[in-house]
Amino acid sequence: AQRVTQPEKLLSVFKGAPVELKCNYSYSGSPELFWYVQYSRQRLQLLLRHISRESIKGFTADLNKGETSFHLKKPFAQEEDSAMYYCAPSNTGNQFYFGTGTSLTVIP
Amino acid sequence: DTAVSQTPKYLVTQMGNDKSIKCEQNLGHDTMYWYKQDSKKFLKIMFSYNNKELIINETVPNRFSPKSPDKAHLNLHINSLELGDSAVYFCASTLEGGRGEQYFGPGTRLTVT
């Protein structure tokens, strides 16, 4: 069965500290992986996708096929990073299954 | 220019009523979705349409009926609303047949009293 796990429901870090949001997936085939962000009361928007290998707003995510993980990292958290983050693998068949989300709070 | 729009933004109604939420995208995408985000922020796919055809129908009560008059529109009609239907409903679309970036609408906050 397709499954994506974000083990931390809530995560708090101090401004300037490193942050890592974990994502593990169990998927058949070779899914494409995404991180989406939702700022307070706003729509979800794409943060990054693994095939583009871009760094967006200082965030990076490395796909580890051996561990089936796609953790999101940022070396120095900023207050504006406080938001809800969703890991979302997808495969063929128009299926997107979002993780349960991690609510990140950056403490000033 | 709003890429994915939804109306209404807020919807407050009583149990037992029937209501509709509309979604439109002007991106030329082929695939559209409906998601439900509950009070715990869990985001669950409900339906997926590709070129007006239903592709995915997750375990959703048949009180929920999506309708796609054309590939730019995917509306959601809900019959006999229940308290548990209270949530934020997001519409989304993708270009690449389900593997590309999803563009989300602003959400419709449905409150059933």
Side-chain angles (χ1 to χ4, degrees):
Chain A
Q2 322 279 35
R3 192 170 66 244
V4 54
T5 303
Q6 292 181 247
E8 302 124 338
K9 180 68 177 166
L10 302 169
L11 184 62
S12 296
V13 299
F14 285 100
K15 178 182 174 181
V19 61
E20 181 180 50
L21 292 85
K22 293 185 169 58
C23 172
N24 290 90
Y25 63 93
S26 173
Y27 251 67
S28 57
S30 298
E32 187 171 359
L33 288 126
F34 302 80
W35 276 98
Y36 286 83
V37 60
Q38 185 182 26
Y39 299 103
S40 180
R41 296 211 165 223
Q42 293 187 26
R43 70 184 74 199
L44 280 85
Q45 54 188 287
L46 179 69
L47 182 61
L48 55 81
R49 59 196 292 185
H50 86 273
I51 63 169
S52 66
R53 295 185 175 276
E54 291 178 333
S55 171
I56 308 296
K57 299 185 179 182
F59 284 96
T60 58
D62 289 325
L63 175 60
N64 186 322
K65 290 186 178 180
E67 296 180 358
T68 59
S69 68
F70 188 53
H71 303 329
L72 184 68
K73 300 177 183 178
K74 184 169 182 176
F76 308 103
Q78 303 298 314
E79 289 179 64
E80 56 266 28
D81 296 329
S82 294
M84 196 76 184
Y85 291 81
Y86 293 94
C87 179
S90 81
N91 59 8
T92 56
N94 299 294
Q95 293 180 327
F96 279 88
Y97 291 94
F98 282 77
T100 49
T102 297
S103 177
L104 174 66
T105 301
V106 180
I107 304 164
Chain B
D1 286 342
T2 303
V4 183
S5 59
Q6 292 178 233
T7 54
K9 191 165 185 175
Y10 299 96
L11 187 53
V12 181
T13 188
Q14 291 184 327
M15 286 175 56
N17 285 347
D18 303 338
K19 290 293 178 185
S20 292
I21 306 171
K22 295 186 176 182
C23 177
E24 177 181 2
Q25 54 94 3
N26 61 8
L27 298 166
H29 289 171
D30 290 333
T31 306
M32 296 183 72
Y33 307 81
W34 276 110
Y35 289 90
K36 179 181 180 181
Q37 186 180 47
D38 64 20
S39 58
K40 296 182 179 179
K41 302 291 188 182
F42 293 156
L43 194 65
K44 183 173 167 54
I45 190 169
M46 300 174 70
F47 301 102
S48 168
Y49 266 73
N50 182 272
N51 273 322
K52 302 192 298 176
E53 289 190 21
L54 180 65
I55 303 298
I56 294 173
N57 181 355
E58 290 291 318
T59 308
V60 175
N62 57 15
R63 298 182 294 104
F64 291 79
S65 53
K67 286 194 170 48
S68 182
D70 55 61
K71 73 174 193 177
H73 296 84
L74 181 61
N75 304 324
L76 184 65
H77 187 76
I78 316 170
N79 289 327
S80 302
L81 278 155
E82 300 177 357
L83 293 176
D85 297 334
S86 296
V88 181
Y89 292 84
F90 286 99
C91 176
S93 70
T94 61
L95 176 63
E96 301 170 28
R99 284 182 62 87
E101 173 185 355
Q102 289 198 69
Y103 292 79
F104 283 83
T108 296
R109 185 173 294 273
L110 171 64
T111 304
V112 182
T113 61

